[in-house]
Amino acid sequence: MLNLSLVLILNFLIMPQAAEESERRILILGDSLTAGYGVEKSEAFPAQLENKIKKQYPNTVVVNAGSSGSTSASGLSRLRWHMKKKPFLLILALGANDGLRGTPLEATRKNLSETIDLAKNNGIKVYIAGMKLPKNYGESYRQGFEKIFSDLVKDKNIKSIPFLLKGVAANPKLNLSDGIHPNQKGHKIIAETVYAQIKDEL
């Protein structure tokens, strides 16, 4: 017969694992916009999204996999690593830095496509976050860049958040002084935008 102390130890070891396995994970794979550059991590849109979701679905966790400076080239390897935690939904929010750096469009398309394929092949639902470029970029490149995201939605039969920064981009009141990264208020709007698109999956 097990003594009481051994039972308590076994419960301590088993219960955290059981709780972890009951969690449903939403993985947001992104760059500095996701990471929350310039604001507290608790103010970034993934944290604000999780707070909103948990009010109704307390076992849902939003994983902030944002890394400042990341491009679409990092998506595949980073997704492989995060798959250890078995997310049920991926929000792919990469590509903005590709556009700002003038990365060849086919390279960005290929990188995003391979990341989507890996997720789908492992039973993970995918939403891709659309990105846009400032109008001072060449019109042909700008239009081609934005078309990548809508084309992938059709070609890969996935869903989308048409524009991640909807209502936030270019608004000085919702961005930091650099004019690129959202402030806390901006992140709150992004969280609302994302929630509106994914709520039916919850």
Side-chain angles (χ1 to χ4, degrees), residues 126-129 153 156-161 197 200-201:
V126 181
Y127 279 72
I128 191 166
V153 171
K156 300 296 182 180
N157 191 27
I158 59 174
K159 296 184 179 181
S160 75
I161 298 155
Q197 294 298 318
D200 290 342
E201 303 289 352

Side-chain angles (χ1 to χ4, degrees), residues 112-114 116-117 120 151-158:
L112 293 173
S113 178
E114 290 177 347
I116 292 166
D117 287 344
K120 290 190 67 178
D151 283 352
L152 286 171
V153 171
K154 296 175 185 175
D155 296 344
K156 300 296 182 180
N157 191 27
I158 59 174

Side-chain angles (χ1 to χ4, degrees), residues 2 39 42 54 117 144 154 167 183 185:
L2 293 175
V39 300
S42 61
K54 276 186 174 292
D117 287 344
K154 296 175 185 175
N183 58 25
K185 292 180 180 178

Side-chain angles (χ1 to χ4, degrees), residues 13 27 37 41 44 46 69 71 78-79 94 118 140 160 190 200:
L13 293 172
L27 174 66
Y37 174 86
K41 195 160 186 177
T71 66
R78 290 166 63 200
L79 176 57
L94 285 169
L118 177 61
S140 176
S160 75
I190 297 172
D200 290 342

Side-chain angles (χ1 to χ4, degrees), residues 110-184:
K110 178 176 180 291
N111 293 334
L112 293 173
S113 178
E114 290 177 347
T115 305
I116 292 166
D117 287 344
L118 177 61
K120 290 190 67 178
N121 290 340
N122 284 273
I124 302 170
K125 296 178 181 179
V126 181
Y127 279 72
I128 191 166
M131 303 291 176
K132 296 184 179 183
L133 290 174
K135 293 188 182 293
N136 62 329
Y137 278 70
E139 189 65 15
S140 176
Y141 182 83
R142 187 173 66 83
Q143 289 186 5
F145 173 79
E146 294 175 12
K147 192 170 182 291
I148 289 173
F149 301 92
S150 56
D151 283 352
L152 286 171
V153 171
K154 296 175 185 175
D155 296 344
K156 300 296 182 180
N157 191 27
I158 59 174
K159 296 184 179 181
S160 75
I161 298 155
F163 181 34
L164 186 66
L165 299 179
K166 179 183 177 182
V168 176
N171 186 333
K173 294 181 179 179
L174 300 175
N175 287 277
L176 302 177
S177 58
D178 63 11
I180 297 174
H181 295 96
N183 58 25
Q184 182 191 11

